[in-house]
Amino acid sequence: MVYIGDIASSERIIIKESTTSVAEEKKEEKTEATAKGAKSSKKRGVCTGHGLRFSKNYDRLEKNIFIVFVECESSGNVGFLGRTMANFGLKNLVLINPCELEKEAYYQAMHGKSIVETATTYDSLEEFFKKEEIEFIIGSTGTPGGSYNLSRIPIKPEELGKSINLNRKIAILFGREGNGLYNKEIELCDIIVSIPTDPSYPIMNISHAAAIVFYEIFKNRNEFPVEGLEEATAIEKKHLLKDMQEIIKKLGIPKHKEKTGLKSFKNIVNRAFITGREVHTLKGIFRKINKKL
């Protein structure tokens, strides 16, 4: 069992799994808390009552998720984002063509200062995706689209948290404070997440929006223990889309409808988080359709 202790510290304490009974664990925790005394209870950000227990998937959450801030305009917001990441055990902060970071970034980060200090910087998203071999890209937007804009059809954070596969390298993109993510950046994403807000003021501060998304992911640290339920890889989905594209081309429909049809299929595949086995089943069906056509 994994225990997270002082969240105000940059060091994470891990206690390995044992066969100790629940009663014994509680007794040990009570003894340990008493030994620490009043001094530790006064520390800000310290859990003194009992340990928080997390699954082994906690390490995947920390290792495989990259939080990407595209062309940030304010040092303070970088700090706030780092602080929010620290609240939910995320470590990988990526800045794309950022503004110059001033002292405010480190001050606002509080106990997430080390996250800001170790953030990596890239000139473009494409460079980052290639360097880190990202397998799944999640974009965030405060202005979701509808049937008229297929690239911006979103899912809610709760749906994302329930379906996300932490075994893959995942990038979660947050856009500029003023303009968010541009359409060309949205097009690069496999899926879009949006937070339902009041239409009179739909755009949230980045750290507030990030906290909601991170919370939903954090509370649903899913694993895929059953053989055959592993989510399809980026390469598998790419080949499936290629098969669909070949079918669409043979239908003799206008070019703009070809593009819309392929984009619709891609959206369905990514929102469904289909498994590798499902991909191979569909590929077999698509091959037969291709032969018939």
Side-chain angles (χ1 to χ4, degrees):
M1 194 70 69
V2 180
Y3 290 80
I4 307 301
D6 187 351
I7 60 173
S9 170
S10 60
E11 181 180 358
R12 181 157 54 88
I13 300 172
I14 300 178
I15 301 175
K16 295 181 179 179
E17 293 183 359
S18 68
T19 56
T20 307
S21 68
V22 174
E24 290 173 329
E25 284 183 356
K26 289 182 177 179
K27 185 178 179 181
E28 289 175 2
E29 289 172 2
K30 185 176 181 181
T31 303
E32 184 180 352
T34 303
K36 286 182 179 179
K39 183 179 179 180
S40 63
S41 66
K42 294 180 181 179
K43 289 184 179 180
R44 185 179 181 185
V46 179
C47 179
T48 58
H50 54 80
L52 298 178
R53 304 179 181 182
F54 299 121
S55 71
K56 62 183 179 180
N57 228 354
Y58 183 91
D59 290 330
R60 297 193 186 109
L61 180 80
E62 179 181 300
K63 178 182 177 182
N64 290 344
I65 294 186
F66 294 79
I67 306 305
V68 186
F69 197 169
V70 179
E71 296 187 351
C72 57
E73 302 163 2
S74 165
S75 293
N77 277 333
V78 174
F80 284 129
L81 181 58
R83 181 176 181 175
T84 305
M85 289 173 62
N87 287 146
F88 295 98
L90 298 165
K91 303 294 183 183
N92 302 319
L93 175 59
V94 177
L95 304 176
I96 306 297
N97 191 25
C99 64
E100 184 176 351
L101 296 188
E102 300 174 352
K103 291 182 180 180
E104 185 184 13
Y106 307 99
Y107 173 76
Q108 299 294 2
M110 298 295 286
H111 297 303
K113 180 180 177 181
S114 62
I115 294 174
V116 177
E117 290 175 335
T118 57
T120 53
T121 302
Y122 294 89
D123 293 329
S124 68
L125 283 170
E126 290 82 359
E127 180 188 358
F128 159 65
F129 296 150
K130 183 177 181 181
K131 174 71 175 178
E132 294 294 342
E133 298 180 336
I134 298 300
E135 298 174 88
F136 198 78
I137 306 167
I138 301 167
S140 62
T141 180
T143 54
S147 59
Y148 62 90
N149 191 339
L150 295 178
S151 296
R152 286 183 179 267
I153 295 179
I155 62 171
K156 296 177 182 177
E158 184 178 10
E159 296 172 280
L160 176 66
K162 289 178 180 178
S163 305
I164 196 168
N165 182 356
L166 299 179
N167 296 313
R168 308 292 183 202
K169 277 195 169 185
I170 298 167
I172 303 178
L173 276 52
F174 292 93
R176 305 156 188 82
E177 291 95 324
N179 299 313
L181 295 173
Y182 295 151
N183 285 334
K184 64 179 182 179
E185 294 156 349
I186 291 288
E187 287 286 344
L188 297 174
C189 300
D190 293 300
I191 205 166
I192 299 299
V193 64
S194 187
I195 300 167
T197 52
D198 192 285
S200 64
Y201 193 17
I203 307 302
M204 299 180 69
N205 176 276
I206 181 173
S207 61
H208 297 167
I212 292 173
V213 174
F214 298 167
Y215 167 71
E216 292 295 344
I217 294 173
F218 189 82
K219 78 174 186 180
N220 292 294
R221 297 176 302 283
N222 292 328
E223 295 181 22
F224 294 81
V226 182
E227 184 180 355
L229 289 185
E230 294 83 4
E231 186 188 341
T233 65
I235 293 176
E236 287 174 327
K237 287 188 282 190
K238 182 179 179 180
H239 286 298
L240 183 64
L241 290 173
K242 186 178 179 181
D243 289 344
M244 174 57 82
Q245 188 175 29
E246 290 177 1
I247 292 173
I248 291 174
K249 284 183 177 180
K250 292 180 179 179
L251 298 178
I253 60 179
K255 287 291 182 182
H256 71 280
K257 289 190 176 181
E258 284 186 11
K259 183 178 179 181
T260 300
L262 187 62
K263 179 60 181 175
S264 297
F265 181 70
K266 181 180 179 181
N267 287 351
I268 292 169
V269 168
N270 288 323
R271 283 204 301 271
F273 292 93
I274 65 175
T275 66
R277 181 171 295 177
E278 288 169 333
V279 166
H280 289 292
T281 299
L282 288 174
K283 281 179 65 65
I285 294 173
F286 287 175
R287 278 197 299 269
K288 291 182 179 181
I289 292 175
N290 260 316
K291 287 182 180 178
K292 289 288 185 180
L293 291 173

